[in-house]
């Protein structure tokens, strides 16, 4: 075996677009008719929890109608094969859907998860895919508080798992960005940080993301079409 590789992959909404989930920006993406500040900030939750809850309940219910696509499965295979051969692999996702997990990946879900609810009073995080009524809040089983919130990182809040992400980045030899517009920080800064530490960098997206640099290898096109053959090639090349 050649030298050890440590691959870090960062995914965004474009990775799930081929499964039928809308992106936020670019390529026709919208926030499903909502303004960000009305549904994805702690201020919105404090001001109008019923509106925010309805928005997230719709998105939580929508997960039942979608399946992982070929890009999710190819990344899960990449993780299995690299780990089996003693290499490093870390998948970081900004996505709050559970499609990576369903495809078999281990994920650092830095913006939270739709299928988790969190108690603002006692801090308990609950996995829940059953209470999907848009008009009913879910109480906390642990402390009885009447209204769990979506366990989602909203604008103005700190992303999760930053220590684990730092550790992966510090060892990274190859960095792959998939389906993210490169505008939301700190996620958007990971590509430049990997580049600075000498990693080879690869970027797939439909539109050129804002954080693309001339030294990145850009792979334009739909993730479900572009990523499986790219991953196939990399596994052969990187594990020589
Ligand atoms: P965006 O919606 O900002 O960007 C999606 C990117 O995916 C765009 O660059 C598109 O060109 C690309 N794209 C669309 N369809 C694609 C496809 N089939 N294959 C490959 N690429 C495709 O989504 P993110 O960058 O993930 O935060 O957004 C970052 C964060 O902004 C999200 O995590 C979300 C939002 O605020 C939270 O929910 C906390």
């Amino acid at each position: 075996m050649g030298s050890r590789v440590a691959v870090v992959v960062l995914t965004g909404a474009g990775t799930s677009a081929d499964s039928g989930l809308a992106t936020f920006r670019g390529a026709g993406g919208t926030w499903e008719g909502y303004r960000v500040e009305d549904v994805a900030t702690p201020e919105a939750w404090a001001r109008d929890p019923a509106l925010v809850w309805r928005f997230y309940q719709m998105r939580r219910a929508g997960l039942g109608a979608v399946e992982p696509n070929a890009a999710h499965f190819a990344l899960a295979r990449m993780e299995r094969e690299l780990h089996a051969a003693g290499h490093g692999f870390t998948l970081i996702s900004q996505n709050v859907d559970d499609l990576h997990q369903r495809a078999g990946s281990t994920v650092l879900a830095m913006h939270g998860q739709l299928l988790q609810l969190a108690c603002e009073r006692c801090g308990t995080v609950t996995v829940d895919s059953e209470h999907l009524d848009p008009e009913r809040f879910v109480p906390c089983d642990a402390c009885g508080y009447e209204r769990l919130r979506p366990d989602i990182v909203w604008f103005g809040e700190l992303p999760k798992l930053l220590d684990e992400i730092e550790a992966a980045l510090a060892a990274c030899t190859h960095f792959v960005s998939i389906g993210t517009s490169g505008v939301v920080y700190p996620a958007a800064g990971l590509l430049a940080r990997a580049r600075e530490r000498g990693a080879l960098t690869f970027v797939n997206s439909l539109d050129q993301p804002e954080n693309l640099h001339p030294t990145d290898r850009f792979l334009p096109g739909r993730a479900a079409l572009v990523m499986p053959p790219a991953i196939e090639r990399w596994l052969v090349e990187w594990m020589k």
Side-chain angles (χ1 to χ4, degrees), residues 12-14 18 24-25 94 111 153 155 179-181 184 205-207 223:
D18 290 327
F24 301 100
R25 308 169 187 82
Q94 299 166 88
H111 289 169
V153 176
F155 284 93
T180 172
S181 55
V184 175
S205 189
L206 279 188
D207 317 302

Side-chain angles (χ1 to χ4, degrees), residues 11-15 17-18 23-27 31 56 59 94-96 111 152-155 178-184 204-209 221-224:
T11 62
T15 313
D18 290 327
T23 60
F24 301 100
R25 308 169 187 82
W31 277 71
Y56 281 98
R59 297 184 64 199
Q94 299 166 88
N95 296 346
V96 294
H111 289 169
I152 301 289
V153 176
W154 284 325
F155 284 93
I178 305 172
T180 172
S181 55
V183 295
V184 175
N204 160 252
S205 189
L206 279 188
D207 317 302
Q208 296 211 359
R222 290 169 48 186

Side-chain angles (χ1 to χ4, degrees), residues 195-217:
R195 216 185 278 132
E196 276 159 24
R197 73 166 308 287
L200 292 177
T201 51
F202 304 82
V203 176
N204 160 252
S205 189
L206 279 188
D207 317 302
Q208 296 211 359
E210 294 211 0
N211 59 351
L212 192 71
H213 185 270
T215 58
D216 299 328
R217 288 113 178 115

Side-chain angles (χ1 to χ4, degrees), residues 10-239:
L10 171 70
T11 62
T15 313
S16 295
D18 290 327
S19 293
L21 290 175
T23 60
F24 301 100
R25 308 169 187 82
T30 69
W31 277 71
E32 302 177 15
Y34 290 84
R35 294 191 315 155
V36 174
E37 52 272 34
D38 289 339
V39 290
T41 62
E43 293 76 18
W45 176 243
R47 191 173 56 235
D48 192 348
L51 173 75
V52 173
W53 185 245
R54 269 199 302 277
F55 175 74
Y56 281 98
Q57 286 294 74
M58 265 163 29
R59 297 184 64 199
R60 281 157 50 73
L63 291 182
V66 295
E67 297 290 338
N69 64 54
H72 297 106
F73 286 115
L75 287 168
R77 175 180 162 216
M78 194 184 198
E79 174 179 339
R80 278 195 307 275
E81 298 206 3
L82 285 173
H83 281 166
H87 294 290
F89 178 88
T90 306
L91 176 59
I92 304 165
S93 188
Q94 299 166 88
N95 296 346
V96 294
D97 63 57
D98 63 340
L99 296 180
H100 282 306
Q101 290 89 337
R102 281 199 253 157
S105 289
T106 303
V107 191
L108 298 178
M110 67 184 294
H111 289 169
Q113 283 283 281
L114 283 170
L115 295 185
Q116 289 179 186
L117 302 174
C119 180
E120 287 178 304
R121 187 158 79 183
C122 73
T124 301
V125 173
T126 308
V127 176
D128 177 89
S129 55
E130 281 168 28
H131 300 94
L132 299 173
D133 185 337
E135 307 303 330
R136 286 172 85 108
F137 290 116
V138 178
C140 178
D141 272 348
C143 76
Y145 185 60
E146 61 185 359
R147 195 161 71 201
L148 294 176
R149 62 166 271 179
D151 192 23
I152 301 289
V153 176
W154 284 325
F155 284 93
E157 296 183 322
L158 203 60
K160 296 171 185 282
L161 301 162
L162 291 177
D163 290 346
E164 288 82 350
I165 291 171
E166 276 311 306
L169 213 58
C172 167
T173 60
H174 298 71
F175 186 94
V176 184
S177 165
I178 305 172
T180 172
S181 55
V183 295
V184 175
Y185 283 81
L190 300 180
L191 174 61
R193 306 252 320 277
R195 216 185 278 132
E196 276 159 24
R197 73 166 308 287
L200 292 177
T201 51
F202 304 82
V203 176
N204 160 252
S205 189
L206 279 188
D207 317 302
Q208 296 211 359
E210 294 211 0
N211 59 351
L212 192 71
H213 185 270
T215 58
D216 299 328
R217 288 113 178 115
F218 183 49
L219 301 101
R222 290 169 48 186
L225 298 178
V226 170
M227 291 318 300
I231 287 172
E232 189 105 4
R233 281 197 309 277
W234 291 337
L235 284 174
V236 172
E237 193 181 324
W238 297 346
M239 298 213 295

